[in-house]
Amino acid sequence: MGVLPLKPFDLGATVLQTPALGGPELTAVLGVLAVIVFLWGLERYRTTFSKAELLVSLALSGGIALMAFAPTLFNRIGTLLNIEQRPLVIALLSNVTLTVLVLWLFARTRSNQLTIGDLTRSLTVERAPTVETPEGPVAFVVIPAYNEGGAVADVVASLPERAGGYAIQPVVVSDGSTDDTASVVADTRAIVAEHPINQGQGGALQTGFAIAQRNGADAVVTMDADGQHPVEYLGELLELIATDQADFVVGSRYVGTDRSDNGPARQAGIRVFTALINLVAKLDVTDCTNGYRAIRGSALSALTLTEERFSAPELLIEARKNALRIEEVPVTIRQRDDGESKKPTLGYAFGLTRTIFVTWLR
């Protein structure tokens, strides 16, 4: 007479017949591993006093110890989840734990990056010189520059003393440059600030804005360091602010003239992302990535700026969310005077999309 086999999760029999995960060798290995993980967490806490690392090590070592000495617990969990094999339960719980740890690690890493960025910009602003500004309104022209030693000095030299009713004060932010970007403008009339590590164009703009605000800027203009933004349009950008017709003025190559070296794919991408911004934020612009813009100085403090790379969409959407009056003027965008574009070739579309929706939703 045959004996019917027991089901894997027959709690009346299987738990009693299979109390161990494996042989004593596996139990010993897992036990030693649990102790090692716990001691690692304890040592990390003694070294850095990081409670997060200690808690993670306690959770991991506890889970490993349960696999070694109380594997029947996973049988009961499997019963609750309707999973009939103990290894599948352990694998499922392990993968869930790993996913949580990876997400936590990403969050911690990003938090650390933001902290380092904030410290870098704060120290740079603190070290930047203050200037004696002339009587009347002053516009600070913020020029973010990363390895633009071949062109940035000419850009600064081309700036007029006055434009659009404002005295012009250049600010060059050398964003972790490894060439002579900072030194070639050191003897010019520009305020020169240096990031010790690269912060991206958006991070450099934030530093330039903070320097401008500290010096009491009435308006701020942003322009590229590569010579693509002709200075003859400076007055047109500022005039709308000076005459109180706008708070945020952005140049457009598509109602003006486009002589840049952007290929068909990037040109099409700019138009697609411009349409997306217009849709989600109820804007009416034609060139969402143009970095030639003017902003009323008193409006800067209302903008929440966190984007380090793809700053143009963030500035537009933040201006819209804060009810700034946005106008667009035609400008010409030229080819670079020197060097190569620093815009990323991979992930450009993803970065713009992420920036648009993150800024819109926050």
Side-chain angles (χ1 to χ4, degrees), residues 3 20 30 52 169 257:
V3 179
L30 290 175
Q169 173 60 59
T257 306

Side-chain angles (χ1 to χ4, degrees), residues 9 16 18 84 199 220 286 301 309 313-314 348 354:
F9 279 87
L16 297 175
T18 58
E84 295 185 350
Q199 296 292 296
V220 173
T286 62
S301 59
R309 303 292 168 186
E314 180 182 52
Y348 186 70
R354 175 189 56 78

Side-chain angles (χ1 to χ4, degrees), residues 79-156:
T79 300
L80 293 174
L81 299 177
N82 199 26
I83 301 175
E84 295 185 350
Q85 297 184 30
R86 181 192 294 163
L88 291 179
V89 177
I90 295 174
L92 174 63
L93 295 178
S94 299
N95 284 322
V96 170
T97 302
L98 178 61
T99 300
V100 171
L101 287 175
V102 169
L103 293 175
W104 174 78
L105 180 61
F106 280 148
R108 283 290 298 271
T109 301
R110 180 58 180 161
S111 176
N112 290 338
Q113 289 175 337
L114 292 175
T115 300
I116 291 172
D118 289 341
L119 288 173
T120 298
R121 291 188 290 272
S122 296
L123 288 172
T124 302
V125 172
E126 194 173 304
R127 293 176 179 176
T130 56
V131 293
E132 293 270 346
T133 56
E135 293 292 330
V138 180
F140 281 65
V141 179
V142 176
I143 306 171
Y146 174 61
N147 290 344
E148 296 287 0
V152 66
D154 291 336
V155 172
V156 172

